Amino acid sequence: LIRFNMSSKITTSSFFGAPLLRASSSGMEVIFQEGPFTEAFRHGYWLLIDEFNLAPEGVLNSLEQALDLGRLSITSPVELEGGERFVEVEQHPQFAVFATQNPCSRAPLKRPVHG
């Protein structure tokens, strides 16, 4: 299970992944660092997204597309290791996503709840 706290400041890069400069034996290289969604999507983990209602529209659109297609396609702004600029990830059959959100209002209930 991967737990991720959504906020209005989250970007597609922080949720899905982004290029990362890394030192290697042959010098510096650019790799793709998977975000929490991509890691869960690829490996079949469960992903719990808290505060889902705070997700920016761009993140929601990309999430919807990946779930609809069963495939995640990410374009890198720089050339990655091996000369690629695209990262393609197929949805693992055991992948599942769960989302929670807080109520829009903290107004008191109109009628009491009895236990």
Side-chain angles (χ1 to χ4, degrees), residues 21-80:
L21 189 61
R22 169 177 86 174
S24 71
S25 58
S26 60
M28 299 302 282
E29 64 184 3
V30 181
I31 62 163
F32 182 76
Q33 178 68 47
E34 292 183 348
F37 178 86
T38 305
E39 181 182 358
F41 196 76
R42 177 189 303 275
H43 298 290
Y45 304 145
W46 288 5
L47 177 64
L48 172 61
I49 306 171
D50 286 326
E51 308 283 350
F52 188 70
N53 53 311
L54 299 178
E57 186 175 345
V59 171
L60 290 175
N61 290 339
S62 297
L63 174 68
E64 180 182 17
Q65 183 178 17
L67 295 175
D68 283 348
L69 299 176
R71 181 178 66 251
L72 179 61
S73 301
I74 302 170
T75 304
S76 172
V78 296
E79 195 171 281
L80 300 170

